[in-house]
Amino acid sequence: MASEKELTQKTRKQSFQTPRGMKDILAEDWLYYDFILQNAKKIFEFYGFKRIETPLLEEAELFTKGVGKKTEIVGKEMYLLKTKGEQGFLALRPEGTAPIVRAYIEKGMFNLPQPIKLYYFGSFFRHEKPQAGRYRQFYQFGAEIIGEDDIASEVKIIMLSKIFLESLGFAKKDIFLLLNSIGCSKCRAVYIRELKKYYRKNNKQICSDCRRRIQENPLRVLDCKNEKCYPVKEGAPFILDYLCTECNNHFKSLLEYLEYLNIPYILDKTLVRGLDYYTRTVFEFCLDDEKSKISLGGGGRYDKLAEIIGRVKKPGVGVAFGVERLMEEMIQRGKGFKSAKPEVFLVYIGEAAKKMSFKILEQFRKEKILIGENLEKNNLRAQLKNADRLGVKYVFMLGQQEVLDEMIILKDMNSGLQELIPLDKIIPEIKKRLNK
Ligand code: HAM
């Protein structure tokens, strides 16, 4: 016999929980996820975006090459898997842009009329420290325009992102667009030299992370959240002052479009984003203000990504939103959903009526009239209790005799009146009463 201690250990093992930083998405959550996806679809599909879904697993090298092995999301947070028969590692996708560019190249989409506009909605994985709005498995809605380097791609992505956020109920005044340009490889190199020089001069005033970052991935020092580093960060050179003529003209043109379209923005010299594939424009959509910023989504231009991962010279621009963050902020702002409630309920007594009930329910489904039922319960009182709880206006009641007579009882729950109705007249009768 197992000892008490062994039994306790066994029981403990049997009560499983979701892994840390991951969550069950329950029915009431899906109302938000669906609403977010439907709004995104309506807006982006109007502009010709088509849905794509890439596998949850990709070759890890896609991300080390494409996103950068020194980035947090790849270097520290990527889930790696060694599977049978695979060469190298597979990774649970930490983000969607590199997989989509991989698909664009693999499927020869560069041979089609350009640009290619794609959107996605699915799970992503990052082994982060779980905290509010930060999960290890989270959903993103994202959109990418690949194949043209015209400013229209950036303008479209930014404009549609803003319309999308407004469609979710966020007030115009609460949405902040933070904007920066990180230039091309040439002007960025000049800037990085200056930045390194400046940080080396201020070496004693910065944290150990920044000391490491300035060697390994210098732009990331601007992303440091350590208060100790703020004064140094504030005084750091501004990348916009180092842009080459082409990058400067590109950025100016974007600002002109945003002004013309009445899309307010804040120039944020510390905005560099955590993924290495960006070139020129980077942006983030935040709530409240840039200090206590809650980043709902972000993106930018990635003109070299296709070349890095597939030797195809095609530029791209995109954005991704964190669905859980959108949902949590919607809840904070009082956005609620009511699930549709049936106004009619069907109860039965006896086996013959139970069988017939399946056919009746199907008639309602085909007519798109919601009807409640509890066919699993053979007890009439239990079924009626359910109808009561839903507060329905009408209850159909079917027993052995009604089945034989091909009739059904219709009870008006307000007046308590009951009448017999022919079984083949159920739908027109209920439509009349519900004014449908
Ligand atoms: P990202 O900034 O890493 O960009 O992620 C986009 C959004 O995903 C964030 O703004 C945030 O709302 C959400 N997010 C990120 N990590 C988590 C997490 N651990 N838990 C919950 N939500 C999270 C990208 O992923 C780029 N691929 C965006 C892009 C598309 N750039 C160009 N095209």
Side-chain angles (χ1 to χ4, degrees), residues 204-220:
K204 293 214 172 76
Q205 279 86 54
I206 55 175
C207 68
S208 54
D209 266 351
C210 279
R211 266 183 230 122
R212 179 181 50 79
R213 284 191 193 122
I214 199 74
Q215 300 303 332
E216 292 179 356
N217 201 350
L219 282 187
R220 303 290 299 161

Side-chain angles (χ1 to χ4, degrees), residues 17-114:
Q17 292 180 341
T18 49
R20 231 181 133 225
M22 300 189 179
K23 61 173 195 160
D24 298 313
I25 304 174
L26 303 176
E28 55 269 29
D29 303 322
W30 278 118
L31 298 173
Y32 290 87
Y33 284 67
D34 284 343
F35 179 76
I36 291 168
L37 175 60
Q38 290 318 319
N39 279 272
K41 271 175 87 129
K42 262 187 249 158
I43 294 161
F44 283 82
E45 283 182 358
F46 180 85
Y47 279 83
F49 285 76
K50 301 269 188 293
R51 189 166 182 177
I52 183 170
E53 179 63 43
T54 59
L56 294 182
L57 291 169
E58 294 275 354
E59 284 178 57
E61 213 187 330
L62 174 69
F63 300 108
T64 46
K65 262 186 158 177
V67 181
K69 59 172 177 259
K70 291 200 174 136
T71 59
E72 304 269 307
I73 76 163
V74 172
K76 290 193 184 157
E77 298 166 357
M78 196 158 74
Y79 284 89
L80 290 168
L81 280 99
K82 187 93 194 106
T83 58
K84 277 186 203 157
E86 295 294 336
Q87 301 235 313
F89 284 91
L90 291 178
L92 273 174
R93 57 183 193 183
E95 64 97 46
T97 310
I100 283 169
V101 172
R102 192 262 312 130
Y104 170 90
I105 299 166
E106 189 183 336
K107 299 294 174 299
M109 290 185 221
F110 47 84
N111 291 319
L112 303 171
Q114 303 294 298

Side-chain angles (χ1 to χ4, degrees), residues 95-97 120 126 128 133-135 138 140 144 273 275 277-278 295-300 302 318-322 325:
E95 64 97 46
T97 310
Y120 52 98
R126 296 182 189 176
E128 300 207 57
R134 214 166 265 284
Y135 299 94
F138 56 96
Q140 276 189 351
E144 316 285 346
R273 311 263 306 132
L275 305 100
Y277 50 59
Y278 290 116
S295 177
L296 296 178
Y302 45 87
V319 66
F321 290 92
R325 286 202 197 162

